[in-house]
Amino acid sequence: MASTSRRTRPPNVDLARLIEASGASHKSLALRVNQLAKAAGLETDYSHTSVANWCRRGMTPKWPAPKVIAQALAERLGRPVSLAEIGMGDAETPDATMGLDFPRDPADAVRAATSFWSSVNRRDFLTGSGFAVSAFTTPVTRWLVTPADDTAHHTGGKQVGRADLDELREAADDARRWDSKYGGGNWKANSVTTCLQERAAPLLQGSFSDTVGRELFSVTSELSRLAGWTAFDVGQHEAAQRHFIQALRLARAGGDVQLGCYVLTTMAMQALMRGFASEAVDMAQGAFERAKGQAAPRVLAFTKLIEARAHARERDAKAASRALATSEDLLSQAEAGSGLEPAWIDFYHHARLSADAAEVFRDLKNPKAALAWNRQAAAMPPGVFTRSVGMRLAIVGTAHLQARDLDHGLELGNRSIDILARVQSSRAKDYVREFNAALGPWRREPAVREFVHRTRTELGIAA
């Protein structure tokens, strides 16, 4: 990566003043910028001379270095620092907003999605792990207003046929299986972004009828949602958010309201896990109301489940219980009927509801109810749903700790680590962190110290 661009300006007095206020020397700032860049997967070799050039000669380093400089100074100052504040407000590249668009026109939507896919694997793209819930505002609003485009036919290059659609569906099925077993960081799950770029993008620019086009947009939406899910699972929240937005737009292009409902529910889950429970409630409720009457009962049931989890994070026990009861009723309808359901929702059944209900009541600090729900959840085979089993053990173990049962809690915690040590998932590690936090009252116990040491050495979780 080049140290700076050749473009020069007057001295950057804003940056110089901020560095002085932070107390950093040019050498220490350059060192920290290099460290942060390396953590983001970039190779830089900035020195005190580089910093002097930024200040005295007004040189602007290549993106995303300005973002990293602002981050380094924010650490020093103990507050957020914007690009404008360091005199590099115009350094932000178009990459910064790529993937956040939700165009009204279907052709523009294809261009936005394919442009994003062509950039997402670049080493200098999306180097941070930021998440802005406000970025969901326009996509959610536009989908709620118009969840389906009028037509999906297109005249372009290669004629798209059934074999092409089958190939994409098989890729989606593979990614789902590998993600469930090994987490979002496995190579097979990550290959979905390559599939989007190399296989789906050319097909979207081909020729297809309205019928084939709707199926093409739907399966591509499903792939984009999976790409977002795997990124979310390994903590790449910024990339995940953009994949989800593109998935929602492609579902609309395919006229697939129930898939759009599912994507929006997944977006609500991301918002929930990033600390925006109230916004997650709104998104889940919006997805349910917009798709009601058009989506299969099992799809709507999952939406209510995520709403229940969001209410629980807000400590609203009554609202969480209502949403959970609605989800259970809808599941009963789904299992009593014989209607066609999309394959991507087949994971959601009463055992999964019971497992998630245990998490709902764990969040509500009601261990008795959490453990009662867990007893209703069927055992899941670790070889099939490795990550889910490991997370569930951590959740139930935390409930035992809330009930002041240290021995049983530690037993489940250790079993969780046995499983999750084989999984590449930062989301799964978050559940172990929550378990560790619940161990607070017993920190001096030898068995607890041994467990915390194990989480540090085997999962890389700081004490």
Side-chain angles (χ1 to χ4, degrees), residues 68-96:
V68 181
I69 295 167
Q71 183 181 351
L73 289 170
E75 290 179 349
R76 283 269 185 172
L77 295 167
R79 62 173 179 80
V81 172
S82 68
L83 293 177
E85 200 172 355
I86 63 171
M88 298 182 186
D90 60 351
E92 199 166 5
T93 71
D95 284 351

Side-chain angles (χ1 to χ4, degrees), residues 5 50 64 136 166 220 262 309 363-364 387 390 446:
S5 67
S50 305
F136 281 153
D166 290 343
T220 306
Y262 182 47
R309 287 178 54 176
D363 288 343
L364 291 170
R387 179 187 53 212

Side-chain angles (χ1 to χ4, degrees), residues 269-415:
M269 188 188 300
Q270 186 188 23
L272 163 65
M273 301 305 286
R274 299 308 297 158
F276 298 93
S278 180
E279 289 83 352
V281 169
D282 292 339
M283 292 164 69
Q285 288 179 340
F288 180 86
E289 293 299 330
R290 194 64 180 87
K292 191 166 55 177
Q294 300 181 68
R298 198 178 304 273
V299 176
L300 296 173
F302 184 70
T303 297
K304 280 296 176 180
L305 176 74
I306 301 308
E307 181 189 337
R309 287 178 54 176
H311 285 306
R313 288 295 175 104
E314 290 201 298
R315 304 290 190 268
D316 189 338
K318 289 183 178 180
S321 296
R322 282 196 303 269
L324 198 60
T326 301
S327 183
E328 191 170 21
D329 289 343
L330 287 163
L331 264 186
S332 296
Q333 291 179 33
E335 293 176 2
S338 57
L340 292 176
E341 295 178 333
W344 40 256
I345 199 63
D346 62 5
F347 68 92
Y348 190 47
H349 38 66
H350 276 96
R352 168 63 190 270
L353 178 142
S354 298
D356 277 39
E359 181 174 353
V360 166
F361 287 100
R362 179 211 62 173
D363 288 343
L364 291 170
K365 301 293 192 292
N366 185 341
K368 182 178 179 180
L371 296 174
W373 273 104
N374 180 62
R375 285 191 289 272
Q376 297 182 45
M380 294 185 289
V384 180
F385 301 109
T386 306
R387 179 187 53 212
S388 297
V389 174
M391 292 191 302
R392 179 172 158 192
L393 287 168
I395 291 166
V396 178
T398 304
H400 279 290
L401 295 178
Q402 291 174 345
R404 312 299 293 179
D405 185 350
L406 175 62
D407 291 342
H408 203 169
L410 278 178
E411 177 192 348
L412 297 179
N414 278 297
R415 286 170 56 193

Side-chain angles (χ1 to χ4, degrees), residues 165-187:
L165 299 177
D166 290 343
E167 181 185 352
L168 295 183
R169 288 195 186 94
E170 185 175 344
D173 290 342
D174 274 353
R176 262 194 302 272
R177 284 192 296 269
W178 281 71
D179 169 66
S180 294
K181 189 169 183 179
Y182 298 112
N186 81 83
W187 70 270

Side-chain angles (χ1 to χ4, degrees), residues 3-4 15 26 30 34 45-57 59-61 69 88:
S3 60
T4 59
L15 177 60
H26 285 189
N34 289 334
D45 58 353
Y46 297 124
S47 66
H48 66 284
T49 303
S50 305
V51 179
N53 285 335
W54 302 338
C55 295
R56 297 170 191 164
R57 300 176 61 189
M59 297 178 74
T60 301
I69 295 167
M88 298 182 186

Side-chain angles (χ1 to χ4, degrees), residues 106-107 109-110 117 148-156 158-166 168-169 200-222 247 249-257 259:
V110 169
W117 297 334
D149 289 336
D150 293 333
T151 184
H153 76 274
H154 184 257
T155 302
K158 175 185 181 295
Q159 187 70 39
V160 180
R162 293 288 168 187
D164 299 306
L165 299 177
D166 290 343
L168 295 183
R169 288 195 186 94
L203 293 176
L204 290 174
Q205 294 162 348
S207 295
F208 40 82
S209 65
D210 181 71
T211 300
V212 170
R214 291 193 183 280
E215 292 186 46
L216 174 61
F217 282 123
S218 290
V219 70
T220 306
S221 168
E222 189 180 347
R249 184 59 188 89
L250 290 165
R252 171 172 146 170
D256 197 335
V257 177
L259 178 57

